Amino acid sequence: MSDSLPIELAPFTPASPPRLNGVVVMRDDHDALVDALLADLFIHARNCVRAFGDFHFAVSGTPEAEPFLRRLMYDLNFRDFPWVRTRLWMVDEVALPAHDERGRAAVVRGLVLEHSGIPREQFHAIDALSPTASEEYQADLRQHLGWREKGHDRLDFVLLSLTEDGVLGARRPVASAGSGGHDGVGASGKSLLVESIPGTQPPLVALTVPFINASRVIAVIASGPAVRPSVARLVADTRGSGDRTAGAAESQWPARALSPMAGELRWYLDKAACPEPPSAPPG
């Protein structure tokens, strides 16, 4: 009996995007996904500049976000991105010295600030080593968003990433993910905009989930087969959302707490990140 020839299994290819809370943008591969997200970001930035005179863009400088920021710098399709009218904010920052390359701002500074032409004073880093980091960054947000008309005094676009471990930006699944009530207003309101996340090493300072939920657009990157279990878990949560309350479960899994109040949540997935749909029950 001859040896069997090796058979390479074809990768799973979903026929349709998974069902998640929000809009799901699915592309065949990572490269096409980068194109799709950046095209949406570019259009949204220009629309905000026309409507408000500026664009407030917040990003978590994760490794998953780096290819998107890098492409934004060299792709000629985005050479007219309105950087001069953009204020670039950090979603989160770890308490490390400014020169430490593990810092989130160091990543964004190296990828964007040195190549985009954005005025340096329009890049807002978090000094996470300061004992009053949350208060300082919150004051900065209120100062630059507060001049907008009430209801529009919020971030225009927040870019996050989801990992295989359920980490959203820099938020890990923990007992408290910063979820909670929000009065629905932006920088002119009294809500907490920035918080120190307990129990993280190194310590973490981040925008609160309610403040992120007040944003005009929340974009979440989920790319590659490693993140598929995380996406599958969120799909299962979406299917069973009518059977659970938004309490302790959200605090354990940060992505569950994303629920824009007057904006849009958009999931950017390549096919490798999409879970296999549930099997149909036997007839």
Side-chain angles (χ1 to χ4, degrees):
M1 181 176 177
S2 61
D3 293 335
S4 299
L5 294 174
I7 299 174
E8 183 177 350
L9 296 178
F12 163 69
T13 303
S16 59
R19 295 185 62 182
L20 291 167
N21 177 32
V23 176
V24 178
V25 178
M26 186 179 74
R27 292 294 183 267
D28 286 343
D29 54 41
H30 182 76
D31 203 50
L33 186 67
V34 175
D35 287 338
L37 189 152
L38 293 185
D40 288 349
L41 172 64
F42 181 59
I43 292 170
H44 190 62
R46 297 188 64 164
N47 287 342
C48 286
V49 168
R50 281 196 295 269
F52 310 118
D54 59 3
F55 176 59
H56 289 266
F57 175 29
V59 61
S60 182
T62 61
E64 294 79 14
E66 289 184 31
F68 295 82
L69 297 175
R70 188 173 292 109
R71 175 81 67 83
L72 191 58
M73 294 300 100
Y74 71 76
D75 194 321
L76 294 180
N77 289 317
F78 310 115
R79 64 184 180 277
D80 293 328
F81 193 93
W83 287 113
V84 175
R85 298 291 188 91
T86 296
R87 286 199 176 270
L88 185 59
W89 302 90
M90 298 301 301
V91 171
D92 41 50
E93 185 57 279
V94 289
L96 294 169
H99 64 275
D100 195 309
E101 295 182 355
R102 294 174 295 169
R104 300 301 175 93
V107 171
V108 176
R109 186 179 289 110
L111 287 173
V112 178
L113 194 63
E114 304 300 330
H115 308 286
S116 65
I118 184 174
R120 290 183 177 273
E121 65 272 14
Q122 291 174 201
F123 173 60
H124 301 273
I126 303 172
D127 182 7
L129 286 175
S130 170
T132 57
S134 298
E135 293 82 356
E136 293 169 11
Y137 207 59
Q138 180 160 289
D140 205 16
L141 284 160
R142 291 189 187 280
Q143 176 186 349
H144 293 290
L145 287 172
W147 70 270
R148 280 188 178 183
E149 181 183 352
K150 188 174 181 179
H152 296 295
D153 50 345
R154 53 186 175 146
L155 296 172
D156 297 312
F157 199 100
V158 177
L159 182 60
L160 302 168
S161 60
L162 181 70
T163 73
E164 59 189 289
D165 300 321
V167 179
L168 182 72
R171 290 178 180 271
R172 297 185 174 276
V174 290
S176 176
S179 58
H182 191 276
D183 58 14
V185 299
S188 60
K190 301 300 182 183
S191 295
L192 187 66
L193 310 185
V194 188
E195 63 183 343
S196 297
I197 310 298
T200 59
Q201 289 299 327
L204 176 71
V205 177
L207 302 182
T208 64
V209 173
F211 183 55
I212 291 173
N213 279 336
S215 305
R216 191 162 276 104
V217 174
I218 305 170
V220 183
I221 303 163
S223 177
V227 79
R228 190 183 299 168
S230 290
V231 177
R233 180 169 178 174
L234 292 172
V235 171
D237 290 342
T238 301
R239 287 200 301 268
S241 60
D243 301 324
R244 67 173 179 84
T245 60
E250 284 185 354
S251 67
Q252 292 289 340
W253 197 251
R256 290 173 177 165
L258 294 178
S259 181
M261 291 163 294
E264 186 173 55
L265 173 59
R266 299 178 69 86
W267 301 89
Y268 289 86
L269 284 68
D270 56 19
K271 286 186 175 180
C274 296
E276 197 165 350
S279 302

